[in-house]
Amino acid sequence: MPQLTLYRVDGASSLAPHVLLRDLSIPFNVVLMKDGEGGYEAADGSFSNAEYRNRVNANGYVPILQVDDYTISEMPAILSFLATLVPDRQLGGQSLMERIKVLEWLAWSASQVHGLGFMMLLHAERFTKDRDLSPKINERGKQIVEASFAQIEKRLSSHAHPCGEAETVVDFNLLLFWYWGKDAGIANVERYPGFGRLIRGLEERESVRSALSLEGFDLSFPSMV
Ligand SMILES: N[C@@H](CCC(=O)N[C@@H](CS)C(=O)NCC(=O)O)C(=O)O
């Protein structure tokens, strides 16, 4: 097993690989980061945002997965790599068409749901420097997230998992959207019962609950515990 280090921020998109690493029972180190001047920096003060951009990720983003001497950025790449570490779980898809379906969902999750919907809803400053325009951008982001949740719900009303009947890494990407959506008042079980069922199944696992608790997310199904 290679030496793995996850650069993460509590509550950020690094939740997805964080949960997955725990669920796969893979040993990993964490470099915890926090919001600082100019962007994310080491939570223990050991490096600034400028140093992080210079040394680790030019975009300044998390998640980053360090694999021995390699640095992997971007959610689809990180989740796809993690799937290869425990081949028995087949989280990257089994057949060729399942693997393509995983790729399709990871690409859509990164571009439409995360990059457009949630970023417009939560980080209008990525789209404009004009603060007066922020509320309009936030509102459009909310609509995109709701439309995305409707698409996820439609899929999960006829399939156990987003990519078919088996769990894949996409489930862990959707988990992130559920908790962000919950905090934004969008995700709820009455409106999205199929999506809620997927999350309920994940929350049954100690790996998932421990990562959520560490990152400060409330469970959606606390009565199960
Ligand atoms: N395309 C990237 C997006 C990652 C991203 O937007 N990360 C946010 C946290 S959720 C971030 O690091 N923001 C810091 C910043 O914008 O400076 C991916 O798929 O990993």
Side-chain angles (χ1 to χ4, degrees):
M1 188 65 70
Q3 175 100 10
L4 303 176
T5 301
L6 178 67
Y7 288 75
R8 68 167 195 84
V9 171
D10 283 341
S13 51
S14 42
L15 173 72
H18 181 200
V19 170
L20 181 55
L21 277 158
R22 284 172 176 264
D23 198 59
L24 293 172
S25 302
I26 299 175
F28 64 103
N29 304 309
V30 165
V31 175
L32 191 61
M33 301 180 63
K34 64 171 172 82
D35 231 344
E37 209 175 308
Y40 293 147
E41 61 187 29
D44 66 3
S46 58
F47 57 85
S48 65
N49 178 260
E51 286 166 326
Y52 182 62
R53 284 175 191 266
N54 194 28
R55 251 188 332 105
V56 185
N57 181 7
N59 294 316
Y61 294 161
V62 294
I64 286 290
L65 185 70
Q66 198 96 43
V67 182
D68 293 332
D69 294 336
Y70 289 90
T71 301
I72 307 180
S73 68
E74 300 299 318
M75 188 73 84
I78 292 172
L79 296 182
S80 300
F81 172 78
L82 290 176
T84 67
L85 295 181
V86 184
D88 289 355
R89 292 273 300 265
Q90 298 186 323
L91 291 178
Q94 199 175 349
S95 65
L96 173 63
M97 288 322 284
E98 278 169 15
R99 292 200 294 277
I100 296 300
K101 190 51 87 186
V102 168
L103 188 57
E104 182 185 302
W105 272 81
L106 288 177
W108 178 74
S109 297
S111 57
Q112 182 76 2
V113 193
H114 184 175
L116 208 56
F118 275 109
M119 287 305 104
M120 288 174 78
L121 173 61
L122 304 173
H123 292 287
E125 74 280 1
R126 275 205 189 172
F127 299 87
T128 179
K129 288 190 168 32
D130 183 347
R131 281 169 184 260
D132 292 343
L133 292 176
S134 293
K136 279 204 159 56
I137 292 175
N138 294 153
E139 182 50 34
R140 182 68 192 121
K142 185 167 185 252
Q143 289 169 1
I144 294 170
V145 171
E146 285 174 335
S148 304
F149 272 44
Q151 252 177 275
I152 293 167
E153 181 61 28
K154 186 160 185 253
R155 179 76 180 167
L156 291 175
S157 65
S158 56
H159 294 86
H161 297 272
C163 293
E165 301 320 311
E167 181 175 72
T168 67
V169 288
V170 174
D171 298 43
F172 294 83
N173 208 155
L174 297 194
L175 169 144
L176 164 72
F177 300 147
W178 176 269
Y179 294 102
W180 276 357
K182 186 162 161 282
D183 284 353
I186 296 169
N188 69 70
V189 187
E190 289 74 35
R191 194 165 171 200
Y192 304 107
F195 200 172
R197 177 184 32 77
L198 185 81
I199 298 302
R200 190 187 170 96
L202 285 162
E203 279 193 7
E204 280 172 9
R205 303 178 191 175
E206 171 54 29
S207 56
V208 176
R209 290 200 303 269
S210 60
L212 289 172
S213 149
L214 206 67
E215 298 215 17
F217 285 101
D218 291 332
L219 296 178
S220 287
F221 302 92
S223 57
M224 283 190 324
V225 184

